[in-house]
Amino acid sequence: MQSTRLIKLLEFFESDPNDPFVIYALATEYNNLNDTEKAFHYYHTLVNKHADYVGTYYHLGKLYEKEQQKDKAIETYQQGMLAARNKRDNHAYSELQGALNSAMGMDYEDD
């Protein structure tokens, strides 16, 4: 049985399948429902059709990490950092840098 939120998002998607926010919301909802196949589908749609939608990269990278695909996570974080730099989004860049460092085992703690 689909959640009410998912049903509403699918309705929004049907009326505007090119809206990056709706695609992102669907990816996130499927991720929250542990439907990784559909979550990957919508995240990849964003990366391929809306590469400047910076929020995608962090969550896609985390999904790769959850699925034990560290190399793809690292690549995704790096792509996201380029997208963030191009949009001059320093906050997103910093978050992606932190995720990249963590994925690479370089998340140092202060003594």
Side-chain angles (χ1 to χ4, degrees):
M1 182 170 144
Q2 293 183 337
S3 74
T4 304
R5 180 176 25 226
L6 181 58
I7 291 168
K8 198 55 133 166
L9 288 171
L10 289 168
E11 289 172 4
F12 289 142
F13 180 72
E14 188 175 311
S15 66
D16 188 359
N18 253 340
D19 183 337
F21 177 76
V22 173
I23 299 168
Y24 176 81
L26 277 168
T28 301
E29 186 66 17
Y30 280 120
N31 192 17
N32 290 339
L33 295 170
N34 293 314
D35 188 336
T36 55
E37 183 179 332
K38 287 183 181 172
F40 273 126
H41 168 77
Y42 286 104
Y43 284 135
H44 288 144
T45 297
L46 280 167
V47 169
N48 292 324
K49 293 184 178 180
H50 304 281
D52 63 338
Y53 201 83
V54 177
T56 304
Y57 297 94
Y58 180 88
H59 296 284
L60 176 56
K62 288 296 180 185
L63 185 55
Y64 277 129
E65 285 190 72
K66 181 177 147 188
E67 294 297 308
Q68 307 299 312
Q69 298 181 48
K70 188 169 97 173
D71 290 342
K72 286 185 179 182
I74 289 169
E75 181 181 327
T76 300
Y77 295 139
Q78 291 170 332
Q79 289 172 342
M81 290 168 65
L82 288 173
R85 182 179 295 143
N86 289 339
K87 288 190 80 170
R88 301 183 198 283
D89 187 338
N90 293 330
H91 178 74
Y93 184 91
S94 177
E95 286 186 342
L96 289 160
Q97 179 71 64
L100 174 65
N101 289 349
S102 179
M104 294 177 72
M106 300 186 327
D107 51 344
Y108 306 109
E109 293 185 22
D110 292 337
D111 290 335

